[in-house]
Amino acid sequence: YPSQPEPINSIFYLERGFTDKWFEENLFKNRLIKIKSSHKTGKTSLLMRMIDFVKNYGYSVVNLSLLDTDTNVLNNRESFYQWFFTSITEQLDLENTLKDYSQTNCVKFVEKNILKHLHNPLFLFIDDLDKIFLSPDVTENFASLLRSFFNKGSHNQRWNQLHLIIAYSTDCY
C-alpha cells in the first residue's frame, strides 16, 4: 500500500466512481461535503483530485491539513483559530487582522475580510480534521464555527459562495 497520497496522474490510484460528472454535480451544488473513512484509505488523494478539479474552473481554493500544525496548537482553541485564519488569509493573499478569536468575531471576519473580496466561490478543504478530536474544547468550538458558516449560506448569497470539504479518519472513534 502507498505510504503517501497518490499524485493526480498516478497509475496506482484506484478510481472509485468519482468522475468529472460526479465532481460537477456534487462539488458545485453541495456546500458541505464530509469524507470519512479509516486511516490510509485514500481521503487525501481524493481531496487532491477535487482541488485539481475546482482549480480548473478558476475558483478560489484554500487547502489546509491539520498535520501541518503542532500538538500545542491543536489543543488550544485560540492558538488553533489563529493558525486556521492565518493559513486561510495567507493562501488567499489577504491580511489577517483578526485579534479577538471569539466565534462572533471570526464569523464577522470571514464575511467582511474574506468573502467580501472574492468574486468566485471559495472552496475550503480541511484534511485530517480528526487531529483535533482529542481536544474537546477545540473540537466543539470549531465544529460550531463550521456549522455557523454552513448555516449562513442558506439565507445569505455571500456565504452561499463558501464550500466546505472536510476529511477525517474514523479510527479515533
Side-chain angles (χ1 to χ4, degrees):
Y1 292 102
S3 61
Q4 61 190 17
E6 284 298 316
I8 298 293
N9 296 321
S10 172
I11 61 171
F12 299 109
Y13 181 73
L14 298 175
E15 295 294 336
R16 299 192 173 145
F18 296 106
T19 62
D20 285 353
K21 182 178 174 148
W22 185 93
F23 284 154
E24 219 169 79
E25 290 175 354
N26 289 283
L27 281 175
F28 299 146
K29 291 180 183 172
N30 296 316
R31 291 182 304 102
L32 175 63
I33 296 176
K34 295 185 290 184
I35 302 166
K36 58 182 177 177
S37 68
S38 298
H39 190 61
K40 297 237 179 243
T41 56
K43 294 178 296 300
T44 301
S45 295
L46 175 60
L47 284 180
M48 288 170 40
R49 281 148 182 79
M50 290 177 165
I51 291 167
D52 186 59
F53 185 81
V54 169
K55 282 184 176 180
N56 285 333
Y57 277 83
Y59 294 147
S60 300
V61 170
V62 171
N63 181 20
L64 303 176
S65 171
L66 272 60
L67 290 178
D68 297 338
T69 61
D70 295 329
T71 304
N72 58 337
V73 170
L74 295 172
N75 291 324
N76 179 285
R77 185 188 60 81
E78 187 162 328
S79 296
F80 179 76
Y81 277 14
Q82 183 176 5
W83 170 83
F84 180 72
F85 287 104
T86 299
S87 298
I88 291 173
T89 53
E90 283 177 355
Q91 287 190 35
L92 293 173
D93 201 26
L94 299 170
E95 185 179 354
N96 182 7
T97 57
L98 192 56
K99 301 293 183 227
D100 175 8
Y101 291 95
S102 67
Q103 183 158 328
T104 304
N105 283 344
C106 290
V107 171
K108 286 179 185 176
F109 177 79
V110 169
E111 184 166 4
K112 294 180 192 268
N113 297 73
I114 296 175
L115 297 176
K116 183 178 181 179
H117 297 287
L118 299 176
H119 305 297
N120 293 318
L122 170 61
F123 287 79
L124 175 56
F125 291 86
I126 305 171
D127 197 7
D128 302 301
L129 186 65
D130 51 286
K131 299 301 176 212
I132 63 167
F133 289 173
L134 298 177
S135 177
D137 180 48
V138 175
T139 303
E140 184 178 324
N141 283 287
F142 189 60
S144 177
L145 182 68
L146 292 179
R147 186 65 172 175
S148 174
F149 291 175
F150 176 74
N151 288 343
K152 288 191 169 301
S154 63
H155 56 78
N156 182 308
Q157 187 59 34
R158 186 176 287 166
W159 281 94
N160 196 31
Q161 297 299 308
L162 177 62
H163 297 259
L164 302 169
I165 298 90
I166 58 175
Y168 55 95
S169 293
T170 54
D171 296 343
C172 288
Y173 296 121

